[in-house]
Amino acid sequence: MALTLTCPVCGKRNGYEFRYGGEDKGPRPAEEGLTPTAWCDYVHMNKCTMGVQKEWWCHRDGCGVWFTTWRDTTRNIEVEQPEANE
Amino acid sequence: MFWKTKPLWGNQPRLKSSYDVVIIGGGLHALATAYFLARDHGITDVAIIEKRFIGFGAAGRNTAIVRANQRTQYNVPLYKDALDLWPVLTKELDFNLMFNNCGNLNLMHSEAAMKAARMTIATAQFHGVESHLIDAKEAKELVPALNISEDITFPIHGAMFHPPGGIVRHDAVVWGLAKGCAKHGVHIHQQTEATAIHTEGGKVTGVTTSRGRIHARQVLVSAGGYSAGLIHQMLGIKLPISVLTIQAMVTQPLKPILDHVVSSGAYHCYANQTLKGEIATGAHMDQWPNYTTQNTAHYIKHQAESLSDWLPCLRGVKFMRIWGGLADMTPDMAPIMDGNDPIDGFYMDCGWGYFGFKSCSAVGKYMAQYMASGHCPEILKPFNLRRYENHQLMGETAALVSYTPDN
Ligand SMILES: Cc1cc2nc3c(=O)[nH]c(=O)nc-3n(C[C@H](O)[C@H](O)[C@H](O)COP(=O)(O)OP(=O)(O)OC[C@H]3O[C@@H](n4cnc5c(N)ncnc54)[C@H](O)[C@@H]3O)c2cc1C
Ligand SMILES: [Zn+2]
């Protein structure tokens, strides 16, 4: 089953036009007082959710925009934002 | 009569309410660790908890390649140990693991790659592992079907030749180890899902399963591609892992043409001929994390294109069967083996990506030693989780791996 994603500019497109940008880990931590642990957490660590997660994508072979979307990793399909995560 | 036969690992044992050790996952690493716990340390009160059936995970889906020509001084000795164990285990388990040490040939497609191979080879030789550099002509002598002309996408400059590597029948390893485990009294619980790990005052106290709660002083998670998701879900510990589907396939059976395992990083493709005559091939991962194990037309096309470039005699040959499994990838392409940090009695063995088959025998031996003594054996020390925050990554690849369409 092929993945499709919805680019906020171009609409629904084939998943292979996009580049995965990782789990959405919130804003980049402030440089001031940053510990190696916190930086490592931001750069390397993942939740590896078996289910719906919020993640970054870039429409690399399209308009080039970066955006976040929700995907069910057990079905490999884009899904609506789950209610609990409004 | 057939309904009277029982599996090599015995009938399903009764699930006790307490074990010394509970291992989550019924793959190669779980079985090997349980086997060595029993064999070397007399720890036999062990339960293996497997959600589906043993070998369901990557243990039964890999392409069965074994070798010991890795890149760093930390990795090579571990894989050498694993390679040396196949003939030993074959005897000891009284089970034919079908080790075929036909040798591995890593194709190099540029002068830069040849240079990098020289370094890798020097590391291997330093550790007493046979490995050497050959030129394109010598590669063609070993594999006459190889296309060494200039007019392919990535012309072949030479190869890294590693004679002691090869293929081991992966299902046989699962069955053989399971037989060995059962013989020592280890309980293998299939159709049993671990749903929680319990801790109290920083210590492991047990596991909840779909068939009830189990008390245990030690819990090992070695659930292959599922480990990282489970460890976060159950204990809130995040790991530097991305879980990606990796696909493999076999062609229709052919007359013998390929006597070695041949691989190419540039083509993202490897192939060997099975004893049945099929060309087994794989190597590329999906470009984004997922747990589906689905196959894609994209990948079949990629595989057909690259194979028919460097093995042109395969043009027109049909793929018979294709499948997928999970690869849990770390940024430095080396696994995470750790214990008692931050929870006493909690151990993990994951992040194996596509290296978890060739390593399983040695890892089982050392993880068992770790769990029996509570102290990390020297050989496993560099693989701890803290290497990420201490910035002591392994260098199994020249650069950190980020999973994009470009690699
Ligand atoms: C297509 C492919 C090709 C590969 N080729 C090679 C190769 O040539 N050489 C090589 O060295 N490696 C290869 N690998 C990698 C290798 O197969 C894996 O690294 C290895 O099998 C991992 O072993 P494991 O025992 O840790 O996990 P697995 O064998 O994946 O076992 C994990 C088990 O955990 C179970 N599980 C999951 N969740 C739960 C739960 N909640 N409770 C209980 N049980 C659970 C699963 O059902 C599964 O059986 C390949 C992998 C794939 C997919
Ligand atoms: Zn777009």
Side-chain angles (χ1 to χ4, degrees):
Chain A
M1 189 170 36
L3 173 69
T4 58
L5 291 167
T6 315
C7 168
V9 180
C10 313
K12 202 167 174 170
R13 307 287 305 170
N14 185 319
Y16 285 101
E17 292 182 10
F18 298 83
R19 178 209 199 278
Y20 178 68
E23 297 175 5
D24 181 359
K25 301 175 183 177
R28 183 187 162 115
E31 304 258 322
E32 205 173 325
L34 186 61
T35 62
T37 312
W39 179 238
C40 175
D41 195 59
Y42 183 71
V43 174
H44 292 306
M45 300 301 171
N46 289 319
K47 293 180 179 166
C48 298
T49 306
M50 296 186 252
V52 177
Q53 72 178 9
K54 190 181 183 191
E55 49 195 35
W56 284 101
W57 287 86
C58 172
H59 194 188
R60 191 175 86 146
D61 297 345
C63 65
V65 75
W66 278 93
F67 60 98
T68 58
T69 189
W70 298 86
R71 192 173 57 105
D72 183 344
T73 59
T74 61
R75 294 186 295 158
N76 193 27
I77 53 170
E78 191 179 36
V79 294
E80 292 288 314
Q81 174 176 347
E83 305 225 337
N85 286 300
E86 300 285 349
Chain B
M1 269 168 281
F2 74 90
W3 61 84
K4 287 210 171 139
T5 60
K6 60 173 189 181
L8 288 165
W9 48 95
N11 291 322
Q12 177 111 331
R14 187 177 65 84
L15 187 76
K16 299 196 298 171
S17 58
S18 165
Y19 287 92
D20 287 343
V21 177
V22 170
I23 301 180
I24 300 177
L28 297 156
H29 285 251
L31 291 161
T33 306
Y35 176 72
F36 285 103
L37 273 172
R39 188 196 91 166
D40 294 354
H41 308 283
I43 299 177
T44 56
D45 190 28
V46 177
I48 292 176
I49 303 298
E50 164 57 48
K51 182 174 175 180
R52 294 182 175 87
F53 51 87
I54 55 167
F56 165 84
R61 296 162 194 263
N62 64 70
T63 36
I65 296 166
V66 295
R67 58 184 175 86
N69 57 352
Q70 279 68 19
R71 193 166 184 268
T72 64
Q73 77 262 39
Y74 311 109
N75 283 264
V76 174
L78 191 67
Y79 289 93
K80 180 181 188 308
D81 241 36
L83 205 52
D84 292 344
L85 269 166
W86 299 119
V88 177
L89 284 175
T90 299
K91 259 203 196 140
E92 203 176 284
L93 298 168
D94 191 20
F95 201 81
N96 190 356
L97 304 180
M98 296 168 74
F99 180 27
N100 176 11
N101 54 340
C102 55
N104 305 56
L105 215 56
N106 280 78
L107 302 179
M108 301 295 153
H109 303 272
S110 66
E111 280 312 312
M114 292 287 274
K115 263 194 186 154
R118 275 190 198 101
M119 244 170 81
T120 307
I121 287 166
T123 311
Q125 290 178 348
F126 179 79
H127 289 284
V129 172
E130 192 183 350
S131 182
H132 38 259
L133 200 66
I134 58 176
D135 62 22
K137 218 174 118 258
E138 289 168 306
K140 179 130 180 114
E141 278 161 21
L142 287 170
V143 183
L146 214 56
N147 183 353
I148 58 165
S149 73
E150 285 292 316
D151 58 355
I152 59 173
T153 313
F154 302 111
I156 296 165
H157 283 230
M160 180 165 79
F161 182 37
H162 171 51
I167 298 285
V168 181
R169 171 96 196 264
H170 55 324
D171 303 309
V173 179
V174 170
W175 300 328
L177 283 172
K179 178 187 167 192
C181 282
K183 206 179 116 198
H184 286 291
V186 170
H187 281 190
I188 298 173
H189 295 288
Q190 304 186 92
Q191 305 290 316
T192 309
E193 180 180 2
T195 53
I197 298 173
H198 303 286
T199 64
E200 225 178 87
K203 279 195 178 119
V204 156
T205 55
V207 171
T208 295
T209 77
S210 53
R211 292 170 56 216
R213 171 108 182 226
I214 307 172
H215 293 279
R217 280 185 301 109
Q218 289 187 316
V219 173
L220 166 68
V221 174
S222 60
Y226 305 93
S227 296
L230 290 179
I231 290 170
H232 179 256
Q233 193 183 307
M234 293 176 174
L235 297 168
I237 298 171
K238 288 195 275 182
L239 297 173
I241 283 177
S242 303
V243 182
L244 303 141
T245 304
I246 178 169
Q247 304 177 42
M249 59 187 85
V250 293
T251 66
Q252 64 194 96
L254 307 168
K255 286 182 184 169
I257 54 151
L258 196 54
D259 226 6
H260 305 278
V261 179
V262 186
S263 68
S264 159
Y267 278 105
H268 279 307
C269 182
Y270 59 77
N272 69 277
Q273 191 162 20
T274 69
L275 296 175
K276 283 187 278 183
E278 306 148 339
I279 304 294
T281 174
H284 215 50
M285 286 176 300
D286 274 11
Q287 298 159 5
W288 43 77
N290 77 86
Y291 289 94
T292 65
T293 72
Q294 279 165 350
N295 293 109
T296 55
H298 185 84
Y299 181 76
I300 300 174
K301 177 168 172 277
H302 165 90
Q303 216 62 7
E305 280 172 357
S306 20
L307 273 183
S308 49
D309 233 19
W310 53 274
L311 285 176
C313 64
L314 294 184
R315 280 176 197 161
V317 168
K318 292 183 175 62
F319 286 126
M320 263 200 340
R321 209 156 56 77
I322 178 163
W323 67 92
L326 300 183
D328 46 343
M329 307 300 294
T330 60
D332 62 358
M333 296 278 279
I336 295 158
M337 292 177 277
D338 214 332
N340 301 321
D341 181 22
I343 300 164
D344 263 1
F346 169 67
Y347 294 80
M348 58 186 145
D349 167 20
C350 54
W352 281 101
Y354 38 86
F355 297 138
F357 175 58
K358 50 181 89 53
S359 61
C360 72
S361 46
V363 171
K365 191 174 89 177
Y366 291 113
M367 282 307 291
Q369 195 178 316
Y370 197 168
M371 295 180 75
S373 68
H375 299 292
C376 187
E378 258 339 286
I379 195 167
L380 298 190
K381 277 187 182 158
F383 299 93
N384 63 49
L385 174 58
R386 293 210 187 263
R387 74 177 184 270
Y388 286 90
E389 62 182 73
N390 296 338
H391 205 67
Q392 287 171 333
L393 274 66
M394 286 287 211
E396 263 314 288
T397 54
L400 282 197
V401 183
S402 135
Y403 306 96
T404 74
D406 309 317
N407 57 43

